[in-house]
Amino acid sequence: MTGTESWFQGHLQELTREQCLELLETRSVGRVAFNTPDGPEVLPLNYVVHDESVVFRTSPHSGLGRQLQVAAAAFQVDDIDDYTESGWSVLLRGSVRPVEFEDLPPADRRPRTWVAGVRSLHLRLLPTTITGRRLLPG
Amino acid sequence: MTGTESWFQGHLQELTREQCLELLETRSVGRVAFNTPDGPEVLPLNYVVHDESVVFRTSPHSGLGRQLQVAAAAFQVDDIDDYTESGWSVLLRGSVRPVEFEDLPPADRRPRTWVAGVRSLHLRLLPTTITGRRLLPG
């Protein structure tokens, strides 16, 4: 046992789909992961939850916007507490598709981005699986 | 402009490799991303920085432990401030390899995990690129 080792370690608990969706609603920044010719890419961005999927905005000229044709993507959200050494993480796995105008959330529930600049392309990650785990303090 | 829109949006600033490594040292949980037959996987875990690479522990029986042969992986760390709508994100892209015993960091600088259970496999993500961005408040 080293000086920084905890006396008690935490335990992982699987979250239900309902708990995952509830936690997903509590955050405003998540991370989209997708594969590129140079390996996996992970980008934090603002999002909203809409119809049990995640909607976010990007520039059509961004790496993410250009690589839309990738079939598979994941979206990850977590909350980590360094003091109690606990937290939770939720992962949606599925595919990313552009959102047609008529399928956008109502105007007051669309994603807004913290970053300045044109983010005219709305993308939706439609999950095939939603999983999550909570790490309970030891 | 919707009710939740900021009057001023933040601006992105690229970080140097040195800044990225410095920020990487300030956190204890990061997210490893790797590709699987079911698409990208993203897993939060504890890590340490060692020789400009990231070292973490897992079980040899975990999905991560079993899928070691994937050539490419990414490791992402960030810090997000919801109040000022700012933050930073650092991404290491490279490949994951098991760490031989003689290549482990000194005993007091090895990764310790918050989660109970056997995590006997030490892995190293050796980055080929280290990039990062800071989002300055608007």
Side-chain angles (χ1 to χ4, degrees):
Chain A
M1 183 175 234
T2 71
T4 56
E5 198 89 21
S6 285
W7 284 96
F8 301 103
Q9 284 181 300
H11 291 273
L12 283 176
Q13 190 181 63
E14 297 292 323
L15 299 171
T16 66
R17 180 188 169 92
E18 287 65 38
Q19 290 172 320
C20 289
L21 285 167
E22 199 173 308
L23 288 168
L24 192 63
E25 295 267 9
T26 65
R27 310 295 286 175
S28 53
V29 177
R31 300 158 199 96
V32 65
F34 54 102
N35 214 25
T36 78
D38 298 322
E41 173 96 41
V42 185
L43 291 176
L45 37 73
N46 299 108
Y47 71 99
V48 295
V49 183
H50 182 238
D51 286 346
E52 301 203 349
S53 69
V54 158
V55 176
F56 47 90
R57 283 163 62 181
T58 188
S59 157
H61 310 297
S62 66
L64 181 59
R66 286 195 313 269
Q67 304 214 29
L68 257 188
Q69 305 308 320
V70 289
F75 195 82
Q76 193 264 356
V77 177
D78 61 33
D79 195 11
I80 309 290
D81 184 338
D82 282 304
Y83 182 70
T84 58
E85 303 194 343
S86 62
W88 57 262
S89 174
V90 166
L91 184 68
L92 287 76
R93 301 173 80 179
S95 53
V96 171
R97 295 277 183 286
V99 188
E100 301 297 329
F101 184 77
E102 58 268 29
D103 297 325
L104 279 178
D108 61 346
R109 286 169 47 212
R110 287 179 200 158
R112 68 178 188 85
T113 61
W114 293 355
V115 186
V118 176
R119 299 279 186 284
S120 58
L121 182 61
H122 282 79
L123 301 177
R124 183 190 303 274
L125 185 133
L126 196 66
T128 49
T129 65
I130 301 178
T131 54
R133 294 190 300 182
R134 185 188 301 276
L135 175 59
L136 303 168
Chain B
M1 184 176 226
T2 71
T4 56
E5 199 89 21
S6 285
W7 284 96
F8 302 104
Q9 285 182 300
H11 292 273
L12 282 176
Q13 189 181 63
E14 297 292 323
L15 298 172
T16 65
R17 180 189 169 92
E18 287 64 38
Q19 289 172 320
C20 289
L21 286 167
E22 199 173 310
L23 288 167
L24 192 63
E25 295 266 11
T26 65
R27 309 297 284 174
S28 52
V29 177
R31 300 156 200 96
V32 64
F34 54 102
N35 214 25
T36 78
D38 299 321
E41 172 96 42
V42 185
L43 290 176
L45 36 73
N46 298 109
Y47 71 98
V48 295
V49 183
H50 181 237
D51 285 346
E52 299 203 350
S53 70
V54 158
V55 176
F56 47 90
R57 283 162 62 180
T58 188
S59 158
H61 310 297
S62 67
L64 180 60
R66 285 195 313 268
Q67 304 214 30
L68 259 187
Q69 304 309 320
V70 289
F75 195 82
Q76 192 263 355
V77 176
D78 61 32
D79 195 11
I80 309 290
D81 185 337
D82 283 304
Y83 183 70
T84 58
E85 303 194 342
S86 62
W88 57 263
S89 174
V90 167
L91 184 68
L92 288 76
R93 301 173 80 178
S95 54
V96 171
R97 295 280 184 283
V99 187
E100 301 298 328
F101 184 76
E102 57 268 27
D103 297 325
L104 280 177
D108 60 346
R109 285 169 48 212
R110 287 179 200 158
R112 67 179 190 85
T113 62
W114 293 354
V115 186
V118 176
R119 299 279 186 284
S120 57
L121 182 62
H122 283 78
L123 301 177
R124 183 190 304 274
L125 185 133
L126 196 66
T128 49
T129 65
I130 301 178
T131 54
R133 294 190 299 182
R134 186 188 300 277
L135 175 59
L136 304 167

